[in-house]
Amino acid sequence: MVEARKLLEWHQAKEKIKAVQQALDQLKEREAELEAKRREVEAKIKQIGEPADDDIDGKIALALAQQELWLVNKDTERFMEERFEKEFSLHESKREWEDKAAGLEASLSLKALELYYKVKENVENPVVEVRRRSCMGCFLPLSVAKMEAWHKGKPLVTCDECGRILV
Ligand SMILES: [Zn+2]
């Protein structure tokens, strides 16, 4: 595989890992959110206490708070049921992408990695494809000399306009 292509696949694998991690973090956030909501409603119920028999407003407030608690518990139950499976498959997928990224990284030259990190200081996607003789990072056409160098595929070629590594 041409090194630029390998570099792109490595970058994409790293992006996947990031996305999977974000999804995992979101599950944790959602759990914390539900937990906070439950505590809030429980505190509200405690504060209302036992309304007196003639305290109609108090009785209504208590009934509403209890209903709210029931809903939160229902949501939590549903979330926990799904969470286990979701988390499991996310961890699985993270491990697969990590293996893939590690394998690709090990096969990349130090030079390629250095160039990648240098370009990445300025742009989020340091490796882009060439389509219709244009750089897919800045979408500007490449010069004839650039296209020739790119066709050779070696060494790595960067876009004159934006500096991205061309695949
Ligand atoms: Zn460009």
Side-chain angles (χ1 to χ4, degrees):
M1 196 185 343
V2 182
E3 193 159 38
R5 168 68 55 189
K6 225 188 275 180
L7 211 48
L8 178 62
E9 287 193 7
W10 174 63
H11 169 77
Q12 285 167 340
K14 289 198 307 159
E15 292 292 303
K16 288 275 185 193
I17 295 166
K18 225 193 280 175
V20 172
Q21 187 55 54
Q22 263 168 14
L24 281 166
D25 293 346
Q26 272 167 12
L27 287 179
K28 282 216 170 70
E29 277 165 32
R30 178 73 182 134
E31 188 186 8
E33 244 173 56
L34 286 163
E35 171 71 17
K37 183 76 194 157
R38 190 173 58 79
R39 277 168 201 247
E40 187 194 312
V41 181
E42 276 172 354
K44 201 198 282 180
I45 290 172
K46 207 170 162 191
Q47 201 193 7
I48 295 168
E50 284 279 332
D53 278 345
D54 59 352
D55 182 5
I56 304 298
D57 286 345
K59 280 184 185 293
I60 292 173
L62 182 63
L64 286 174
Q66 277 166 342
Q67 189 185 29
E68 208 179 334
L69 182 64
W70 184 84
L71 284 171
V72 174
N73 284 335
K74 205 77 203 152
D75 279 351
T76 307
E77 212 175 285
R78 208 175 302 137
F79 169 75
M80 287 305 194
E81 271 170 26
E82 289 172 4
R83 184 197 166 144
F84 182 75
E85 226 162 290
K86 269 190 201 160
E87 214 165 29
F88 182 81
S89 77
L90 284 169
H91 278 299
E92 194 93 320
S93 142
K94 193 177 166 204
R95 206 165 29 237
E96 277 166 26
W97 285 111
E98 277 169 350
D99 283 351
K100 185 163 189 213
L104 284 162
E105 187 169 341
S107 72
L108 288 164
S109 67
L110 191 60
K111 222 172 156 185
L113 289 169
E114 274 171 2
L115 180 60
Y116 171 88
Y117 285 118
K118 202 174 135 231
V119 181
K120 188 135 194 330
E121 281 172 19
N122 304 315
V123 291
E124 273 300 304
N125 57 337
V127 196
V128 294
E129 293 189 311
V130 172
R131 276 184 219 152
R132 277 172 261 108
R133 309 178 70 85
S134 299
C135 162
M136 287 296 109
C138 63
F139 302 103
L140 291 168
L142 301 168
S143 67
V144 175
K146 258 295 126 129
M147 277 306 289
E148 264 174 39
W150 174 74
H151 267 301
K152 282 186 198 139
K154 239 178 166 184
L156 291 171
V157 180
T158 53
C159 171
D160 285 331
E161 299 295 333
C162 69
R164 288 180 177 89
I165 303 159
L166 302 170
V167 180

